[in-house]
Amino acid sequence: EERPTALGARAQSADTLERDRARFMLATDLLNQGQPSQALPLLEGLEDSYKALPAYVLLRRGQAYAALDQPDNATATWQRLTEKYSQSPAAAEALYQLGLPKEGSDSSQTTTDTSAWGTLLQNFPSHPLSIDAAFRLLGQTESAIASESELDTPALLKTIAYHGLEHPQYVSALNRLTNEYSSSLTDLLAKPMPKPQPPRAIYTEPPVAKNAAPKVKKPPRPTPYSTPLFLKRPKRPPGC
């Protein structure tokens, strides 16, 4: 059975969890196939019932709005995501989208929400999208980012030095940091970086109740030399 047919059937299931999971997966497939108009109805209101991934439901819905050329709805959806689920990795993707340059009333001018990328770099410094944002901001003029202290050039280069090892322009950024800011490099690197959020544990041992009975240790497995029959054998006289 083909995946869309199977997911379509499960999306009508009476089981709430199975239905919501199927709707989310089907909507994601449709977005990847360039069919946002079909994906959007599946995502409407889904964050309220699909408690497993509400942040990603909002992320996908914002992507569907953006693909349908509805930037206001996309922005409102991503802002709701970043406010309600600020610690979710999905918030990093939403902040990145909110910070991308947008065309103003004059199509020849673009505006960038540097505050969104400032939050992205502050809360998710090791996220790959944070590194991409840092490189994009380095290409802007100093006046465009002067109002955000965490977005000044030394801070951006520091973030890249700590977390951007996999980026193809990492070496050039590192050279720029050492060449242009060598006099203040020690003080710059001495400032602590914000700690990234630890990954959620997939499984943790359930807590043990205080009055719970202690675990009973299993006896060791018997060996041929520890059985009663062997221990009762008479000892051989010396020399035998």
Side-chain angles (χ1 to χ4, degrees):
E1 189 176 12
E2 293 185 359
R3 177 182 172 93
T5 304
L7 290 177
R10 292 180 182 179
Q12 307 299 323
S13 171
D15 185 307
T16 303
L17 180 59
E18 182 177 3
R19 180 193 65 214
D20 291 345
R21 184 187 296 117
R23 286 177 61 186
F24 178 78
M25 295 173 65
L26 186 57
T28 301
D29 288 350
L30 290 169
L31 282 173
N32 292 335
Q33 295 165 10
Q35 303 179 54
S37 59
Q38 297 183 35
L40 189 57
L42 295 169
L43 297 167
E44 291 291 350
L46 186 59
E47 70 278 8
D48 296 329
S49 58
Y50 191 30
K51 302 299 183 181
L53 295 171
Y56 282 93
V57 171
L58 292 173
L59 178 65
R60 296 288 182 268
R61 192 155 78 225
Q63 292 170 343
Y65 280 131
L68 290 170
D69 198 20
Q70 300 181 28
D72 292 340
N73 288 334
T75 297
T77 304
W78 286 326
Q79 286 177 341
R80 180 185 173 192
L81 163 57
T82 59
E83 293 169 0
K84 193 171 183 179
Y85 306 100
S86 59
Q87 301 305 312
S88 169
E93 298 187 49
L95 287 166
Y96 179 81
Q97 293 295 333
L98 290 171
L100 286 174
K102 300 174 179 62
E103 290 188 0
S105 56
D106 182 359
S107 59
S108 63
Q109 296 181 350
T110 59
T111 58
T112 301
D113 183 2
T114 56
S115 63
W117 278 359
T119 304
L120 171 64
L121 289 163
Q122 182 70 25
N123 295 349
F124 305 94
S126 60
H127 198 286
L129 291 177
S130 297
I131 305 304
D132 184 79
F135 273 103
R136 284 173 175 261
L137 288 167
L138 285 174
Q140 297 184 10
T141 61
E142 294 292 335
S143 59
I145 60 176
S147 59
E148 301 288 340
S149 60
E150 67 270 20
L151 301 184
D152 61 19
T153 300
L156 293 171
L157 290 171
K158 178 186 174 183
T159 298
I160 294 170
Y162 271 99
H163 305 293
L165 182 61
E166 301 299 326
H167 196 278
Q169 300 179 29
Y170 175 76
V171 174
S172 62
L174 205 61
N175 290 336
R176 181 178 176 183
L177 178 63
T178 55
N179 293 335
E180 297 182 15
Y181 302 95
S182 57
S183 58
S184 58
L185 194 57
T186 302
D187 295 337
L188 179 65
L189 296 179
K191 296 179 182 178
M193 289 290 294
K195 295 181 180 180
Q197 292 294 322
R200 295 182 180 179
I202 297 176
Y203 173 77
T204 55
E205 289 288 344
V208 179
K210 292 183 179 179
N211 299 327
K215 291 184 179 180
V216 179
K217 293 184 178 180
K218 295 182 180 180
R221 292 184 60 184
T223 66
Y225 303 102
S226 64
T227 58
L229 181 61
F230 178 83
L231 296 175
K232 290 181 179 180
R233 289 177 58 185
K235 294 183 178 180
R236 292 183 181 182
C240 294

